[in-house]
Amino acid sequence: MSGDRTEALAARVRAGERRALAQAITLVESARVDHREQAEALMNALLPASGGAQRLGITGVPGVGKSTFIEAFGLHLIAAGHRVAVLAVDPSSQRSGGSILGDKTRMQELARAEAAFIRPSPAGTSLGGVARRTREALLVCEAAGFDVVIVETVGVGQSETAVADMVDIFVLLLQPGGGDELQGFKRGIMELADLFVVTKADGELTAAAARAAAEYRGALQFLRPPSPHWRPPVLTCSALAGQGMAEIWEAVVAHRKALEAAKTAGGDELTDKRARQAKTWLWREVNESLLVALRAHPAVAARLPALEAEVTAGSLSPTVAARRLLAAFLGTESGGEG
Amino acid sequence: MSGDRTEALAARVRAGERRALAQAITLVESARVDHREQAEALMNALLPASGGAQRLGITGVPGVGKSTFIEAFGLHLIAAGHRVAVLAVDPSSQRSGGSILGDKTRMQELARAEAAFIRPSPAGTSLGGVARRTREALLVCEAAGFDVVIVETVGVGQSETAVADMVDIFVLLLQPGGGDELQGFKRGIMELADLFVVTKADGELTAAAARAAAEYRGALQFLRPPSPHWRPPVLTCSALAGQGMAEIWEAVVAHRKALEAAKTAGGDELTDKRARQAKTWLWREVNESLLVALRAHPAVAARLPALEAEVTAGSLSPTVAARRLLAAFLGTESGGEG
């Protein structure tokens, strides 16, 4: 694809052409080196048109009803005049090359809506790669005029932090159970959330959901809120009965207003948050690329297994091992060492 | 210091000579390049003699009574026949070059005990540096025959994670207050702790301390325990009345036994934990050294401010900026870019 064709694609994305949007996301998801360069040119062309959406991250343990919730919430937003894009970060799908959204029975109604765009998780070799491409797909959706972008993550491994670092508000879906059932959240995940939603608050689970919400409110007082200007609320909803969707959107809007109302040297807290996130992504990519380059270096690759084994066995100091790896990588090692 | 003298110092440390111990720690704390090399030789000589201590990390907010607790706990252990070393990681003391343990009024009685060794926080330029040197000082104390090493951290910034990554058991001291007073822990710190201790459970605070302990027990059910074989207990103590010290040490021993009883491919969970920690330190040091080298590179330093500003302003993609920084660092940039 030439520079002209990249520019043409960018123009079609900005015009909201659905096929161009899908094509642009396929390009940013591609792992091919020549595609990466075109993708970067495309991103630079689309960046000025991005930033206009409410960015939501949604996570929760398997079985909590993420897709059912997103379908109900998405349909509610569309009915209110919004245009909604749904993206997924799912590192577990990499093994099969499949996708959590690939299952055609999920979000059927939302998928058919003209004002919605659903994109399965990209296949990729590393979470870092998948998450980076999802972040770029989010910007592409914004440039295409979607005013709500939802990023879904299945809640395993490190994906939550990556998603929390690309959205304005991070929502944690909770099971309507009490006591032991509530236990065993991924470490640190509760402290990432700006909004808690107990699902399945209908039928015989209605009382259990209300109890769970109260218990979480109690537990939250032990955690530092993500922003000094926002105390994360705990809401309940029923995707089945279509209840609670309006209240959840109100909380999303209230969160945004609270951040925008907090004036800072950089403008307001939302602007600051997005700037911080961009910087975090820069250093995350620098870090990751440096480690990839280090591991790929022949002199490092030759020594790494033995050094790592000595360190874990406790027979070599990590400091000494680190210095040897670095010297091998940067070509500064002295002859007598190692 | 020649290799022979380093070997002689190592022998004196292993023989438990107090002055040699202090001298060895001064060497591993030094930032001088020639000292670093001697320190690495010393560490390699001492490593086979290390590993024999129960390693405890202790943290808590300012005012919770960390030094009072450590003095009472240390004296209790000494009376039971243990030899106790206390080290401190305090990044905030770097500014003044001082130390949280430099205050001579703290831990007076413990400091006078023959079976105790108290070492203030090293002055340093970065938390990474301070923490690494504290980790090495811990190994030196083990080689000198101390069977309990306590690492104290003041609980600001990133020091808790670094300390949790160098000890067998991480203890969080809590205030005997309820409700709002309990709030506002550093994010993620509760999930690092293997043991919770409410302090000042005496006089008019006795009931409040018991209440606080019960509330924390309730809150803990929302968090994933650090090990599947250990559910963190919440205890109370009074350093003033000397109460609770025996129970706390029993919990420390029970924790160790639980990890040792959990058999794994690598032996047991304690062995695995220490191996994992050593590997974490290796990669932490590699990472940190790589970033230091990157930032110090002239071509990177020349571009970094502008690139970072463009990324935070949202006018340049983090991916593109990261690629440019890496190309500048590794000398692979093409002429047309930049």
Side-chain angles (χ1 to χ4, degrees):
Chain A
M1 200 185 289
S2 72
D4 283 357
R5 287 192 56 195
T6 307
E7 189 42 64
L9 179 60
R12 287 170 53 215
V13 168
R14 284 192 302 263
E17 260 189 57
R18 223 178 163 79
R19 277 191 54 205
L21 173 60
Q23 200 181 334
I25 294 183
T26 301
L27 183 61
V28 302
E29 284 177 1
S30 172
R32 271 175 53 185
V33 174
D34 56 329
H35 283 177
R36 277 314 305 158
E37 286 176 15
Q38 290 165 22
E40 287 180 7
L42 179 73
M43 290 313 300
N44 278 342
L46 291 178
L47 264 179
S50 72
Q54 171 67 51
R55 304 168 180 172
L56 274 106
I58 293 185
T59 194
V61 296
V64 73
K66 280 191 294 299
S67 0
T68 315
F69 170 77
I70 292 173
E71 169 147 272
F73 189 54
L75 289 170
H76 171 84
L77 293 177
I78 285 171
H82 293 287
R83 294 189 65 212
V84 180
V86 181
L87 307 170
V89 175
D90 177 19
S92 67
S93 72
Q94 290 161 29
R95 266 167 279 143
S96 62
S99 153
I100 48 168
L101 285 170
D103 180 350
K104 293 293 181 198
T105 62
R106 295 180 65 221
M107 304 191 201
Q108 279 191 339
E109 206 181 332
L110 188 63
R112 276 195 300 266
E114 184 56 39
F117 176 81
I118 299 187
R119 182 76 180 191
S121 178
T125 49
S126 75
L127 168 63
V130 171
R132 180 184 67 220
R133 287 174 236 165
T134 303
R135 185 178 185 276
E136 292 179 348
L138 181 156
L139 300 173
V140 173
C141 290
E142 285 185 335
F146 288 89
D147 69 329
V148 179
V149 182
I150 295 174
V151 182
E152 173 189 1
T153 173
V154 76
V156 291
Q158 294 286 300
S159 52
E160 297 80 15
T161 313
V163 171
D165 277 339
M166 67 176 84
V167 298
D168 302 327
I169 181 167
F170 192 62
V171 182
L172 179 55
L173 301 186
L174 306 166
Q175 296 275 14
D180 277 348
E181 291 171 62
L182 290 171
Q183 215 173 270
F185 260 128
K186 219 189 129 276
R187 291 162 72 92
I189 194 170
M190 279 187 72
E191 299 185 319
L192 290 174
D194 304 293
L195 174 59
F196 295 79
V197 176
V198 181
T199 57
K200 306 175 189 170
D202 46 44
E204 55 188 19
L205 287 174
T206 310
R211 227 173 20 243
E215 286 182 33
Y216 276 104
R217 276 181 209 114
L220 278 179
Q221 67 175 315
F222 294 87
L223 300 177
R224 183 185 293 270
S227 156
H229 306 288
W230 178 253
R231 192 166 291 266
V234 183
L235 305 176
T236 61
C237 79
S238 163
L240 208 69
Q243 270 166 5
M245 300 301 152
E247 290 75 13
I248 294 167
W249 180 247
E250 273 166 31
V252 170
V253 171
H255 173 261
R256 187 187 183 94
K257 280 189 182 156
L259 295 196
E260 284 177 341
K263 296 305 172 194
T264 67
D268 59 50
E269 209 183 304
L270 183 64
T271 312
D272 284 4
K273 182 176 187 171
R274 287 186 169 188
R276 250 192 340 264
Q277 289 175 329
K279 204 168 156 181
T280 299
W281 277 93
L282 167 63
W283 286 106
R284 184 175 285 174
E285 293 204 21
V286 167
N287 242 308
E288 213 175 279
S289 312
L290 276 175
L291 284 179
V292 167
L294 177 100
R295 283 177 181 276
H297 193 286
V300 173
R303 279 162 197 230
L304 184 52
L307 285 175
E308 217 171 33
E310 280 185 80
V311 165
T312 50
S315 58
L316 182 69
S317 148
T319 308
V320 176
R323 207 159 64 111
R324 289 191 190 161
L325 287 178
L326 224 71
F329 178 53
L330 300 175
T332 55
E333 53 193 331
S334 58
E337 201 178 26
Chain B
M1 198 183 290
S2 71
D4 283 355
R5 288 193 55 199
T6 306
E7 189 42 64
L9 179 60
R12 287 171 54 217
V13 168
R14 283 192 301 260
E17 260 189 58
R18 225 180 161 79
R19 279 192 53 206
L21 173 60
Q23 203 182 330
I25 295 183
T26 302
L27 183 61
V28 301
E29 285 176 0
S30 172
R32 270 177 52 185
V33 174
D34 57 328
H35 284 177
R36 281 307 312 156
E37 286 177 14
Q38 290 165 24
E40 288 180 8
L42 180 72
M43 290 313 301
N44 278 341
L46 292 178
L47 265 179
S50 72
Q54 171 66 51
R55 305 168 179 171
L56 275 105
I58 293 186
T59 194
V61 296
V64 75
K66 278 189 296 296
S67 358
T68 315
F69 170 76
I70 292 172
E71 170 147 273
F73 190 54
L75 289 170
H76 171 83
L77 293 177
I78 285 170
H82 293 285
R83 296 188 64 212
V84 180
V86 181
L87 308 170
V89 175
D90 177 19
S92 67
S93 73
Q94 292 161 27
R95 267 166 278 143
S96 63
S99 152
I100 49 168
L101 285 170
D103 179 349
K104 293 294 181 198
T105 62
R106 295 181 63 224
M107 304 189 201
Q108 279 191 337
E109 208 181 331
L110 187 63
R112 277 195 302 266
E114 184 55 42
F117 176 82
I118 299 188
R119 182 77 180 191
S121 179
T125 49
S126 76
L127 168 62
V130 171
R132 180 183 64 219
R133 287 175 236 163
T134 303
R135 184 177 186 277
E136 291 179 349
L138 182 156
L139 300 173
V140 173
C141 290
E142 285 185 335
F146 288 90
D147 68 329
V148 180
V149 182
I150 295 174
V151 182
E152 173 188 359
T153 174
V154 77
V156 291
Q158 293 285 302
S159 53
E160 296 81 14
T161 312
V163 171
D165 278 338
M166 68 176 83
V167 298
D168 302 325
I169 182 166
F170 193 62
V171 182
L172 179 55
L173 300 186
L174 307 165
Q175 295 275 14
D180 277 349
E181 291 170 64
L182 290 173
Q183 214 173 272
F185 262 126
K186 218 189 128 278
R187 291 162 71 93
I189 193 171
M190 279 186 72
E191 299 185 320
L192 289 175
D194 303 292
L195 174 59
F196 295 80
V197 176
V198 181
T199 57
K200 305 174 191 172
D202 46 45
E204 55 188 18
L205 286 175
T206 311
R211 225 172 20 245
E215 287 182 33
Y216 276 104
R217 278 183 208 113
L220 277 179
Q221 68 174 316
F222 293 88
L223 300 177
R224 182 186 292 268
S227 155
H229 305 288
W230 180 252
R231 192 166 292 267
V234 183
L235 304 176
T236 61
C237 79
S238 163
L240 207 68
Q243 272 165 3
M245 300 302 153
E247 290 75 12
I248 293 166
W249 179 248
E250 274 166 30
V252 170
V253 171
H255 174 260
R256 187 187 183 94
K257 281 189 181 155
L259 295 196
E260 284 176 340
K263 295 305 172 196
T264 66
D268 59 49
E269 210 183 307
L270 183 64
T271 311
D272 284 3
K273 182 176 186 171
R274 287 186 169 187
R276 246 188 347 258
Q277 288 175 329
K279 202 168 158 183
T280 299
W281 277 93
L282 166 63
W283 287 105
R284 186 176 283 173
E285 292 205 23
V286 167
N287 242 311
E288 215 173 278
S289 311
L290 276 175
L291 283 178
V292 167
L294 177 101
R295 283 177 180 279
H297 192 286
V300 172
R303 280 163 196 228
L304 184 53
L307 285 175
E308 216 171 35
E310 280 185 81
V311 165
T312 51
S315 58
L316 182 68
S317 147
T319 307
V320 176
R323 207 159 65 112
R324 289 191 190 163
L325 287 177
L326 223 72
F329 178 53
L330 299 175
T332 54
E333 54 193 330
S334 57
E337 200 178 28

